Amino acid sequence: MRKDELIIEIDGNPLGFNPLNCSDYNGFFLSQFLFFNLKDGVNCDIVTDDYITYNIILYEYLVSKGINSVHYVNTIIYYYNGKGYYKCFAPFIRKVKGIPCIEIVNRQAFRIVLWFPFKEFKKILQSRYIIPSTEKCFPVNCGYYKLIEVNNNCIKLESREDYFKWSQIKLVNNTNPIVTKYLYENNKVDITCHSNFSPILESLIKANKVTNKGSLLLYIYIKDTVLADIFHLNKKYILENIKINFGQYLDIIDSFFIDEEFYSDVIIKPFIKTKNKKYKILYSNYFPNKEIANICKEFYLERGIEVELVEVQTLEQYFPIRKIFDMYIGVAYAKFNDYICYCLEYALKLNIEDKKKFVRALVERNFFNLHKLLENVNGYIPLALLKNSYYINDKAKDIKVSQFGEISFYES
């Protein structure tokens, strides 16, 4: 093992390597190594006086890499036109005669005008989805690292900059916690996977464990409206059960608008008769999906509703089939570095009238109304934020993984 090689464990190879069409967390995580997203005060200035007009001025460092304002505008317009997975910001951009107010000022600057003041838009612009792309929307791959090898077991990256401490980064693909324990104890991995912690790892050296607030959001989707209503009306009861059993690994939440100030009282409703059938809950085999699915199953069984659990091992198996099941346990990830991202993302699933109420509440900063609108969005019911927990060895002790999965990989 090279001394200048950093080895990070991940819980699966990305489903794709193009952030413009990325749909999974590992692809999103990988993009920070390969592409330059906008970072205010690091590679650009994002300036606004009124939270309506945003001016983005690129630093000379980006320009020296062959990147200009056109490349970022290409990407923003791509999403604005409804392509890709990063669409939550599009409704905020003002249109004049059907044309979005996105202006290229010069090669080093561009401007965006919104419909109304929205101070979180600065964070939206700094998402790892906003990367430079060509006119035909192919990513401009000129980030800190370049991809040199991909196989089923690992991904290898090589630094483009001679002064980086880590000239190579290896992302090791593993979901077995027993293997994780072996790899870490034998110095074959420097940082264990932060997005798939297991209780099996609790026996490792406590001093090297890092736990902080996370941003992966655990939810349940329930297709049947009656079953969803039963769940939603008793949600506080279910969440308390989850907290009692798994509170050390997650923080329970009550809405896609994440704010601890609002939390419903316990409501126990009488049994509501449903059609006579056995329902199926799908989940992928990542902790604590199975455990949460079991709690949901027991909740329904107590009310005379038959439920069966179905497990798949990988996300490749999970994604294509999840929508054919009655219920599934899902994990969403923050598309930019603010919890309001979930508020915006799931608001897209509201009906027309509720979308109007959502916009009004957002403009007025009426957090109570935002919370109530986003407790149960067409069967999508939020449950918890998974904590970031990982082990890090002495070789990599100066590296930090943020709550939003950003790693200080380029620091010496």
Side-chain angles (χ1 to χ4, degrees), residues 139-405:
V140 177
N141 185 346
C142 58
Y144 293 116
Y145 286 79
K146 60 184 176 182
L147 195 64
I148 59 171
E149 183 180 339
V150 179
N151 58 53
N152 290 333
N153 300 315
C154 74
I155 298 168
K156 289 185 180 180
L157 313 173
E158 186 173 76
S159 171
R160 297 178 187 271
E161 308 284 355
D162 293 337
Y163 57 82
F164 284 167
K165 179 178 180 179
W166 310 107
S167 65
Q168 287 197 353
I169 293 177
K170 181 192 290 186
L171 303 174
V172 176
N173 176 13
N174 171 52
T175 58
N176 187 331
I178 296 173
V179 174
T180 297
K181 196 168 183 291
Y182 168 80
L183 292 173
Y184 183 78
E185 289 178 332
N186 290 275
N187 294 313
K188 294 181 181 295
V189 67
D190 300 312
I191 305 174
T192 65
C193 182
H194 68 279
S195 59
N196 185 26
F197 191 78
S198 168
I200 291 173
L201 303 179
E202 294 287 7
S203 62
L204 291 172
I205 303 169
K206 299 298 180 187
N208 288 357
K209 182 183 177 185
V210 178
T211 298
N212 51 40
K213 194 170 184 178
S215 60
L216 292 177
L217 189 149
L218 189 74
Y219 67 90
I220 184 169
Y221 173 73
I222 305 172
K223 188 183 297 183
D224 187 286
T225 55
V226 175
L227 290 188
D229 286 343
I230 295 172
F231 192 99
H232 181 242
L233 291 170
N234 294 277
K235 188 166 66 169
K236 177 70 181 291
Y237 169 77
I238 299 166
L239 292 182
E240 289 294 350
N241 195 356
I242 292 172
K243 182 179 180 180
I244 289 168
N245 288 281
F246 305 105
Q248 62 181 311
Y249 305 112
L250 49 77
D251 296 303
I252 57 175
I253 57 175
D254 198 29
S255 171
F256 287 113
F257 179 75
I258 298 168
D259 192 314
E260 294 177 0
E261 181 181 346
F262 305 111
Y263 206 178
S264 309
D265 293 329
V266 177
I267 304 173
I268 305 298
K269 289 288 183 181
F271 169 69
I272 303 173
K273 187 172 180 59
T274 64
K275 50 192 173 185
N276 186 26
K277 65 170 283 190
K278 179 179 282 190
Y279 296 91
K280 292 184 178 181
I281 302 179
L282 176 71
Y283 66 89
S284 56
N285 189 24
Y286 295 87
F287 179 82
N289 291 355
K290 180 178 182 178
E291 291 74 11
I292 300 301
N294 262 314
I295 287 175
C296 298
K297 174 185 175 181
E298 291 303 315
F299 166 76
Y300 282 117
L301 288 177
E302 289 168 4
R303 283 147 185 82
I305 302 168
E306 286 193 73
V307 171
E308 175 186 342
L309 300 185
V310 179
E311 177 181 288
V312 294
Q313 295 301 312
T314 66
L315 293 178
E316 288 90 345
Q317 296 170 315
Y318 169 82
F319 280 118
I321 64 172
R322 62 179 178 169
K323 291 187 178 179
I324 68 174
F325 283 81
D326 305 295
M327 297 175 255
Y328 57 82
I329 304 297
V331 176
Y333 60 94
K335 307 300 189 294
F336 59 92
N337 292 0
D338 194 300
Y339 290 125
I340 203 171
C341 66
Y342 293 119
C343 179
L344 303 181
E345 182 176 352
Y346 284 88
L348 295 176
K349 301 179 187 295
L350 293 169
N351 60 43
I352 299 272
E353 285 306 309
D354 282 343
K355 279 180 181 175
K356 291 177 181 177
K357 293 177 185 177
F358 171 80
V359 171
R360 191 179 308 119
L362 197 63
V363 173
E364 296 171 354
R365 311 297 284 184
N366 188 328
F367 297 150
F368 180 80
N369 284 355
L370 288 174
H371 172 84
K372 299 307 290 184
L373 281 165
L374 295 167
E375 284 182 309
N376 176 11
V377 183
N378 293 339
Y380 292 89
I381 302 176
L383 302 173
L385 287 173
L386 300 176
K387 292 180 180 177
N388 272 2
S389 290
Y390 59 93
Y391 284 87
I392 187 164
N393 64 21
D394 291 339
K395 170 184 165 185
K397 62 184 179 181
D398 294 330
I399 290 179
K400 298 288 188 294
V401 182
S402 79
Q403 68 194 87
F404 294 102

Side-chain angles (χ1 to χ4, degrees), residues 84-102:
Y85 289 89
Y86 193 54
K87 305 170 185 175
C88 65
F89 69 87
F92 299 101
I93 298 177
R94 182 179 295 177
K95 279 195 294 188
V96 176
K97 295 182 179 180
I99 299 173
C101 294
I102 305 171

Side-chain angles (χ1 to χ4, degrees), residues 96-114:
V96 176
K97 295 182 179 180
I99 299 173
C101 294
I102 305 171
E103 176 190 357
I104 297 170
V105 178
N106 55 48
R107 288 180 60 81
Q108 207 162 336
F110 62 98
R111 180 180 298 123
I112 298 176
V113 182
L114 309 183

